[in-house]
């Protein structure tokens, strides 16, 4: 019986005493023990009535158990659907209904709040806490540690990851086993991961970066991870000397640089620092090298494609560039108006094709068709140029997207909520530079009548929208800048408010005449 994802990532480690996860409390979990837990989880999933191809949604804190659910899905052929722990019940509700999830796992303390959500969408609900508590974990205790692995092919789906769109409605990116395995193979080789590596893992495990890039590479190489619940700069600093590699978003690196104790000595055992998910400023690259002697390796990817480009491991790593297309990934830069390749050196949209590119958006054939060309190239929406040496540099985004601390905020989703509020005629949510998160969302509200009650809007956001998506400030104006065609000029607003978060964040909305 074959199941490539399981066979390549997990099967080689069955019964192994080698360490897989090191935890901050000093505990270590071997590969063998991790897979025993995963097999027991697989039996619970099967007992709950799920079959290969069904969806299992999880919104649980990062823990070894949470990762074992991913492994259990590989064993059962069930499609893994991780959700950001910051999502509010109203947001979770959409993901459960849209995906048709059969089972939903949440943290025990969120059980009451999320039970109506699960019921409405028709999913069963069980709980799994970060200390291995909850009804799912309890059910696993009495389950056998053996499981008959589901037969699957590389074309079968392994995961759904939801990604928002410029229309404001989230789309489920369908990722096949081949999508994940091809990228894991390429990255493991390119970045030279081996069983001697311990990866400092402080990323969340509900996105491509922390889940697939970090975890699949470690599994394939047979290495270990220092598995931290979140990025806490003091914790990261205290564990760094035990690790050989780190992956992070640019905010990780700027926060390390701000720490008075962060120096070259702490990084002496690390052979590779990798950054991605958001642009890293050239200045951060330079400061990091000056402080530690390490050149950060920057790479570029997307939920729909996994990783597409990387700076070289051995060659020149260029600050501000995302490097070369990965082996097996075809990359072209095209004119957004006609889809034709632009002359070398000119700016266009990145399109990619390869085994890494997803299967399409769940139940959205028209959106899939709009973003995948008939010849199989995926239109990323990222604007870039390629120099004579083949290095790709991202210069902007053709899509209206804010990337804050590595999390995506789609302005349209927030604008639709703001436009519905009393006293708001229309709104624009724009990206403004932020010293810690790289970018932050700023809301510009056009007054209607007496104008909006910003405190009310904040309460509504608190209830219905994940915290990271909240505008960090609100500005009330009489009108938005428009061009002669009547189109709202977000570029003009981005320039006007570029320094908004340069000093401190205001607590009261500012009214501009
Ligand atoms: C937390 N908050 C945020 C963010 N994170 N607000 C905006 N943007 C964020 N990214 C909220 C908190 O809820 C909190 O709210 C306040 O901001 C400050 O929190 P703080 O304690 O400073 O934040 P943190 O908990 O330390 O988190 C910051 C973080 C985290 C470590 C940068 O966001 C993070 O781990 N980001 C990584 C995201 C990631 O993995 N992205 C990969 C996507 P309050 O003020 O109410 O307390 S995959 C991807 O993009 C592609 C495929 C790729 O190429 O990898
Ligand atoms: P997501 O939708 O979370 O998969 O985010 C993918 C987006 O993150 C890409 O389309 C890029 O806009 C951005 N991104 C990822 N890595 C980088 C990078 N190294 N530099 C600039 N942007 C990046």
């Amino acid at each position: 019986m074959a199941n490539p994802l399981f066979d390549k990532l997990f099967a080689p480690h069955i019964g192994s005493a080698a360490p897989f996860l090191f935890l901050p409390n000093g505990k270590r979990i071997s590969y063998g023990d991790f897979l025993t837990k995963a097999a027991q989880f697989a039996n619970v999933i099967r007992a709950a009535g799920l079959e290969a191809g069904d969806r299992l949604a999880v919104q649980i804190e990062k823990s070894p158990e949470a990762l074992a659910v991913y492994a259990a899905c590989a064993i059962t052929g069930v499609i893994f659907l991780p959700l950001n722990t910051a999502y509010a019940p109203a947001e979770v509700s959409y993901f459960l209904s849209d995906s048709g999830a059969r089972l939903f796992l949440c943290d025990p303390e969120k059980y009451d709040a999320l039970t109506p959500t699960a019921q409405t969408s028709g999913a069963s609900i069980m709980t799994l806490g970060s200390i291995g508590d909850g009804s799912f974990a309890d059910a696993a205790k009495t389950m056998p540690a053996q499981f008959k692995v589901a037969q699957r092919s590389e074309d079968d789906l392994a995961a759904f990851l939801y990604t928002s769109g410029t229309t404001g409605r989230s789309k489920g990116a369908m990722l096949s086993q081949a999508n994940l395995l091809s990228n894991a193979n390429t990255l493991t080789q390119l970045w030279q991961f081996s069983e001697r590596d311990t990866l400092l893992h402080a990323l969340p495990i509900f996105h491509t970066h922390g889940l697939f890039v970090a975890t699949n590479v470690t599994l394939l190489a047979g290495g270990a991870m220092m598995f931290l619940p979140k990025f806490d700069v003091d914790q990261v600093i205290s564990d760094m000397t035990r690790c050989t590699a780190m992956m992070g978003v640019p905010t990780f690196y700027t926060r390390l640089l701000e720490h008075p104790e962060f120096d070259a000595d702490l990084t002496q055992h690390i052979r590779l620092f990798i950054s991605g998910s958001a642009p890293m400023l050239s200045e951060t690259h330079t400061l990091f090298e000056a402080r530690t002697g390490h050149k950060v390796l920057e790479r570029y990817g997307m939920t729909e494609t996994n990783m597409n480009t990387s700076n070289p491991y051995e060659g020149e790593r260029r600050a501000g560039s995302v490097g070369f297309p990965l082996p097996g990934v075809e990359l072209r830069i095209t004119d957004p108006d006609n889809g034709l390749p632009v002359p070398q050196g000119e700016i266009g949209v990145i399109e990619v094709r390869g085994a890494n590119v997803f299967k399409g958006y769940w139940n959205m054939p028209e959106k899939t068709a709009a973003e995948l060309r008939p010849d199989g190239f995926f239109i990323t929406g990222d604007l870039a140029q390629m120099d004579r040496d083949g290095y790709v540099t991202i210069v902007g985004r053709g899509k209206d997207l804010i990337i804050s601390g590595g999390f995506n905020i789609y302005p349209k989703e927030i604008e639709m909520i703001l436009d519905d509020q009393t006293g708001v005629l229309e709104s624009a949510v724009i990206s403004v530079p932020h010293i810690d998160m790289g970018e932050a969302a700023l809301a510009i509200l056009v007054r209607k009548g007496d104008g909006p009650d910003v405190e009310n809007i904040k309460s509504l956001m608190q209830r219905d929208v994940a915290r990271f998506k909240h505008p960090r400030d609100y500005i009330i104006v009489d009108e938005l800048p428009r061009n002669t065609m009547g189109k709202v000029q977000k570029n003009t607003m981005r320039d006007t408010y570029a320094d908004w978060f340069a000093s401190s964040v205001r607590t009261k909305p500012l009214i501009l005449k």
Side-chain angles (χ1 to χ4, degrees):
M1 284 265 250
N3 178 331
L5 190 70
F6 180 78
D7 297 345
K8 299 214 169 93
L9 296 187
F10 300 102
H13 308 298
I14 294 172
S16 165
F20 176 41
L21 302 177
F22 293 106
L23 305 180
N25 61 9
K27 220 177 132 190
R28 71 180 235 180
I29 298 175
S30 70
Y31 269 104
D33 288 349
F34 175 80
L35 289 171
T36 298
K37 174 80 67 188
Q40 290 178 305
F41 282 0
N43 280 307
V44 181
I45 293 170
R46 186 56 65 75
L50 277 77
E51 296 187 355
D54 286 338
R55 273 77 59 206
L56 190 166
V58 300
Q59 192 193 32
I60 44 183
E61 290 301 327
K62 181 178 175 184
S63 68
E65 282 76 13
L67 202 58
V69 179
Y70 168 51
C73 285
I75 296 174
T76 52
V78 163
I79 297 170
F80 185 57
L81 196 176
L83 295 171
N84 193 323
T85 45
Y87 288 145
E91 293 167 306
V92 172
S93 174
Y94 170 79
F95 299 120
L96 296 186
S97 312
D98 187 71
S99 66
R102 298 250 344 240
L103 177 61
F104 172 52
L105 300 184
C106 71
D107 280 298
E109 59 273 22
K110 290 195 182 157
Y111 179 76
D112 289 342
L114 287 166
T115 296
T117 305
Q119 279 167 350
T120 317
S121 72
S124 311
I125 181 166
M126 294 180 89
T127 57
L128 180 62
S130 58
I131 49 166
D133 51 336
S135 59
F136 185 79
D138 288 344
K141 284 181 190 143
T142 54
M143 286 291 178
Q146 289 77 37
F147 191 90
K148 200 160 159 265
V149 177
Q151 179 152 18
R152 300 266 88 191
S153 80
E154 285 216 332
D155 250 359
D156 283 318
L157 297 178
F160 279 10
L161 290 194
Y162 273 81
T163 161
S164 285
T166 40
T167 53
R169 207 172 142 225
S170 279
K171 303 167 286 186
M174 301 188 286
L175 294 155
S176 70
Q177 291 205 353
N179 294 151
L180 305 185
L181 286 172
S182 65
N183 221 235
N185 260 315
T186 305
L187 300 177
T188 306
Q189 284 175 33
L190 190 76
W191 297 338
Q192 301 190 12
F193 271 85
S194 77
E195 72 286 349
R196 291 184 300 282
D197 277 308
T198 299
L199 177 72
L200 203 163
H201 193 302
L203 289 156
I205 54 168
F206 43 72
H207 280 314
T208 299
H209 198 162
L211 182 62
F212 301 137
V213 185
T215 308
N216 288 351
V217 161
T218 302
L219 286 164
L220 203 58
M225 295 195 276
M226 171 59 65
F227 206 60
L228 305 180
K230 61 171 288 204
F231 183 86
D232 174 284
V233 72
D234 292 316
Q235 181 82 54
V236 165
I237 281 184
S238 87
D239 286 327
M240 194 165 274
T241 52
R242 303 172 63 195
C243 300
T244 63
M246 185 179 110
M247 292 183 191
V249 297
T251 301
F252 286 18
Y253 292 97
T254 50
R255 287 189 180 180
L256 281 170
L257 284 169
E258 272 163 24
H259 199 287
E261 282 166 30
F262 183 64
D263 61 15
D265 279 354
L266 282 171
T267 67
Q268 59 181 311
H269 299 292
I270 304 258
R271 65 172 183 86
L272 183 59
F273 285 99
I274 301 174
S275 176
S277 305
M280 181 180 257
L281 296 176
S282 294
E283 180 199 55
T284 311
H285 279 279
T286 310
L287 288 173
F288 200 84
E289 188 180 1
R291 181 90 66 91
T292 66
H294 290 276
K295 269 184 186 284
V296 174
L297 180 152
E298 187 166 359
R299 60 39 168 201
Y300 153 71
M302 264 186 96
T303 300
E304 288 91 332
T305 62
N306 293 285
M307 298 305 100
N308 294 314
T309 73
S310 170
N311 269 280
Y313 184 74
E314 262 152 5
E316 186 196 349
R317 295 178 200 162
R318 286 196 189 161
S321 162
V322 293
F324 305 115
L326 293 172
V329 176
E330 291 172 79
L331 183 148
R332 67 187 183 197
I333 298 184
T334 61
D335 181 333
D337 292 333
N338 56 27
L340 295 172
V342 297
Q344 186 268 314
E346 286 188 14
I347 294 173
V349 176
I350 299 179
E351 298 190 11
V352 289
R353 179 167 71 179
N356 57 316
V357 174
F358 76 142
K359 294 287 178 195
Y361 298 112
W362 170 250
N363 276 343
M364 291 186 179
E366 62 307 325
K367 291 228 186 301
T368 304
E371 293 185 32
L372 272 174
R373 294 204 186 275
D375 63 2
F377 272 88
F378 174 70
I379 310 163
T380 64
D382 290 306
L383 301 176
Q385 57 196 148
M386 188 188 271
D387 73 10
R388 248 187 240 109
D389 303 331
Y391 283 85
V392 176
T393 298
I394 296 177
V395 296
R397 283 173 217 137
K399 49 195 172 189
D400 194 12
L401 161 69
I402 301 170
I403 305 184
S404 166
F407 285 147
N408 289 2
I409 305 166
Y410 277 85
K412 185 75 188 167
E413 181 187 343
I414 308 302
E415 287 161 3
M416 282 181 345
I417 299 170
L418 297 176
D419 290 350
D420 273 350
Q421 303 312 307
T422 311
V424 177
L425 185 66
E426 61 174 339
S427 66
V429 172
I430 58 166
S431 172
V432 173
H434 190 278
I435 198 149
D436 182 34
M437 299 292 182
E439 298 170 40
L442 180 65
I444 320 286
L445 308 175
V446 177
R447 176 190 298 107
K448 182 163 79 184
D450 291 339
D453 180 338
V454 172
E455 289 312 311
N456 256 348
I457 294 179
K458 286 184 182 168
S459 308
L460 178 88
M461 288 282 166
Q462 196 63 35
R463 196 192 65 194
D464 288 346
V465 181
R467 172 75 181 115
F468 71 88
K469 296 184 205 166
H470 295 191
R472 290 290 137 147
D473 213 348
Y474 296 81
I475 297 175
I476 300 164
V477 298
D478 289 329
E479 58 183 7
L480 298 177
R482 294 191 132 82
N483 66 11
T484 45
M485 310 289 287
K487 191 173 179 300
V488 171
Q489 297 295 280
K490 283 202 168 175
N491 276 342
T492 309
M493 285 184 272
R494 281 194 277 264
D495 289 344
T496 308
Y497 302 112
D499 292 333
W500 197 254
F501 296 118
S503 47
S504 61
V505 176
R506 264 164 252 270
T507 50
K508 280 194 183 151
L510 197 84
I511 299 187
L512 299 187
K513 289 279 170 203

